[in-house]
Amino acid sequence: MARTTSGKITKNRHKKILALAKGYRGRSKNCFSIAVEKVEKGLQYAYRDRRARKRSFRALWIQRINAAVRLHDLVYSQFIGGLNKAGIEMDRKVLADLAVHNSEAFGEIVAQVKKALAQ
């Protein structure tokens, strides 16, 4: 009996891995066994960094809010506490966007926060 090979299945699997390795340097892009390792590691980095991106954006928003609030003689922690006392429910993404692009609206929010803190 003739020997059969799993040609189509193996070729498709190799093509899929090598397509994911497109753009890598050296033999990582065209040597299957090396490409498998690099692609798996790349997918691990992608999974990890999708979560890290959320953390780093939150940190960026907090820095922007803190910088904008300090212009109004407050610090970030006082501002957030005052937001809760004033009953203003805005997330940090929106607050940071207001602080950067619409400083007068942000100034009005800070005024409301100061009023809530004074009471």
Side-chain angles (χ1 to χ4, degrees):
M1 186 176 248
R3 177 178 169 269
T4 61
T5 61
S6 59
K8 185 192 297 186
I9 296 166
T10 303
K11 182 173 171 99
N12 288 341
R13 187 167 54 92
H14 285 212
K15 261 182 16 183
K16 185 171 72 173
I17 294 293
L18 292 174
L20 289 171
K22 187 176 181 182
Y24 289 3
R25 291 182 58 154
R27 286 196 303 164
S28 305
K29 68 176 175 277
N30 54 15
C31 180
F32 176 74
S33 58
I34 298 173
V36 168
E37 296 172 9
K38 300 290 183 178
V39 165
E40 284 179 0
K41 192 65 174 179
L43 291 173
Q44 288 173 1
Y45 285 141
Y47 180 84
R48 178 197 70 189
D49 291 338
R50 280 194 297 273
R51 279 131 192 91
R53 184 187 327 137
K54 294 166 182 58
R55 289 192 294 270
S56 61
F57 266 108
R58 183 181 170 96
L60 174 68
W61 298 330
I62 288 172
Q63 289 172 358
R64 287 180 175 174
I65 293 168
N66 191 19
V69 164
R70 283 177 186 267
L71 296 176
H72 297 280
D73 301 324
L74 278 176
V75 292
Y76 174 78
S77 59
Q78 292 172 341
F79 177 71
I80 293 297
L83 274 178
N84 293 332
K85 283 185 180 176
I88 300 172
E89 294 184 13
M90 295 180 85
D91 61 356
R92 287 159 181 81
K93 180 179 179 180
V94 173
L95 286 169
D97 189 54
L98 279 176
V100 171
H101 294 106
N102 195 351
S103 56
E104 358 6 272
F106 188 76
E108 293 173 13
I109 293 172
V110 172
Q112 290 177 354
V113 166
K114 281 185 175 180
K115 191 189 302 181
L117 286 173
Q119 290 176 352

